[in-house]
Amino acid sequence: MDLLTALQGGYGDAADALRIDGRAISREQLLAAAGAVAARAAGAAALAVLARPTVETVVAVVGGLLAGVPVVPLAPDSGELERAHILRDSGAELLAGADGESAEFRCGLAALPVDLAAKADPAVPVPAPHGPAMLLYTSGTTGAPKGVMLSHRALLADLDALAAAWAWTAEDTLVHGLPLFHVHGLVLGVLGALRTGSRLVHTGRPTPAGYAAAGGTLYFGVPTVWSRVAADEACAQALAGARLLVSGSAPLPVPVFERLTALSGHRPIERYGMTETLITVSTRADGERRPGSVGLPVAGVRTRLCGEDGVSPVACDGESVGELQVSGPTLYDGYLGRPEADAQSRTADGWFRTGDVATIGPDGFHRIVGRASVDLIKSGGFRIGAGEVEAALRDHPAVADAAVVGAPDPDLGQAVVAFVVPEGPVTGDQLAAFVAQRLSVHKRPRRVVLVEELPRNAMGKVLKKRLLEG
């Protein structure tokens, strides 16, 4: 099938074409074992996969795709209620990767065992381009997780656009240790390798030592991973032989960008996307890589900025902040069984409302300010992007990390509040004054809270609502 080009031959087939957490598999063995999964899964409404970082997970996902059955990746640490909701909502009839788990854990679904020694070449249907390839569930920050329907066509369009943007070819060795139940780790990090023909090394856990030892040319990581790599001088220097370091899922702090550059010799690629849109904006392998910027739309994607009404255009002057809206072939096909939620996420002319606020410069470069719900702060009549204040705080030599939120304030509407992880002696007043010197005075934090760490999810994104609740 088109999505899995590398499994059709023509790229060579080393015994370790894919290495997942220390275990290797050839593409021929992967295809044979996945064929056996496809034969079992054919005709099912959906195939859920307990997505541990294992070879079996990759085989199960590929088997579902070969069978033309929507694949539902399930986080291995998902709680009982979340797991039950996803399995029920998706309509999954089989659960792979849960060998040994109880029927209660499986929520009554039949277990589909994955046998790496199996060999099958079943007569499975060729998936329709517009048919659903995957159901990926959102984080559920505004209610129960929603199933995002992604077609084969959308996955193809995105992977090909990224291959062009990053000059990603079969000559590459891709290295990452990201979870296999998200777009970043699974779609880009596994299907991307099976589309381009590149070798894949998944390190199991994304440790600096694991990355340094992998000997890759192309590395994927989230900011937390790159921060840890940059803090380990020897491991960062070991990446000097790579071709590209790619960061995503959250903004990469400028100090981490600069330290990675100094130690590895590589200016990281930054990109932007969502489950519903896949990766839509990125800096380029052959273009400028500007700290704090995610670059330009990838091939086929259009973007625009709109005001709070979702309609009024916002100037692309590099300063004006607006909601980022996206259009193009990488977009999802809707939320499963949630037409009302889908309608709320679309404009009248069909563009997707990301809920993220951004600026776009005259040269087309995009800078993501953050989520409109928590990162666009309306204080005293001013619209303040939390990301801009965070970047200013991180420039202070005594700041290791920072997150900025808008807290309810009876006078200002919202007050700028900063949560700062210090790495040296500093006071809140000193940090507020530091921001006021670098940015407009109205953007300074009204309150600075020093904390030991910031709460983050599995992809490294700061859980700002938790900060507000605290």
Side-chain angles (χ1 to χ4, degrees), residues 74-347:
L74 187 65
D77 62 350
S78 57
E80 179 182 349
L81 292 179
E82 179 183 352
R83 182 170 63 251
H85 166 73
I86 291 174
L87 295 179
R88 180 179 63 253
D89 186 74
S90 67
E93 298 174 3
L94 300 166
L95 176 59
D99 300 0
E101 300 289 355
S102 66
E104 182 180 9
F105 179 94
R106 300 195 312 269
C107 299
L109 269 64
L112 192 160
V114 177
D115 182 0
L116 299 184
K119 295 183 179 180
D121 184 16
V124 296
V126 176
H130 299 278
M134 287 189 170
L135 274 171
L136 295 181
Y137 276 77
T138 61
S139 59
T141 55
T142 57
K146 299 187 290 290
V148 177
M149 298 186 290
L150 295 169
S151 68
H152 291 265
R153 179 188 63 175
L155 297 179
L156 273 172
D158 200 52
L159 292 176
D160 287 350
L162 293 177
W166 300 341
W168 184 3
T169 72
E171 300 302 313
D172 280 307
T173 293
L174 169 63
V175 177
H176 73 92
L178 301 172
L180 299 186
F181 49 89
H182 285 298
V183 167
H184 198 167
L186 181 57
V187 176
L188 275 62
V190 173
L191 300 187
L194 296 177
R195 173 64 176 165
T196 62
S198 67
R199 183 168 171 261
L200 169 63
V201 177
H202 189 288
T203 59
R205 295 179 62 247
T207 63
Y211 274 39
T217 61
L218 176 62
Y219 286 79
F220 291 168
V222 297
T224 301
V225 172
W226 292 124
S227 178
R228 292 171 180 170
V229 170
D232 189 321
E233 185 172 337
C235 289
Q237 290 174 338
L239 302 186
R243 187 176 64 79
L244 283 181
L245 312 182
V246 180
S247 182
S249 298
L252 183 66
V254 173
V256 177
F257 183 106
E258 293 174 342
R259 182 165 174 79
L260 272 177
T261 301
L263 292 175
S264 71
H266 298 291
R267 295 174 69 80
I269 289 281
E270 294 188 65
R271 84 324 178 263
Y272 165 81
M274 299 178 65
T275 304
E276 291 91 339
T277 67
L278 300 176
I279 308 307
T280 52
V281 184
S282 179
T283 49
R284 304 296 202 264
D286 60 353
E288 181 183 359
R289 305 174 202 176
R290 192 179 301 169
S293 170
V294 292
L296 305 165
V298 300
V301 170
R302 294 183 295 158
T303 61
R304 68 187 184 189
L305 295 179
C306 291
E308 292 182 60
D309 60 3
V311 177
S312 304
V314 170
C316 294
D317 55 12
E319 297 292 335
S320 301
V321 174
E323 180 194 41
L324 183 64
Q325 298 181 359
V326 176
S327 176
T330 68
L331 264 61
Y332 74 134
D333 287 336
Y335 296 116
L336 180 67
R338 300 285 295 276
E340 73 292 342
D342 189 51
Q344 292 172 2
S345 296
R346 307 268 189 169
T347 64

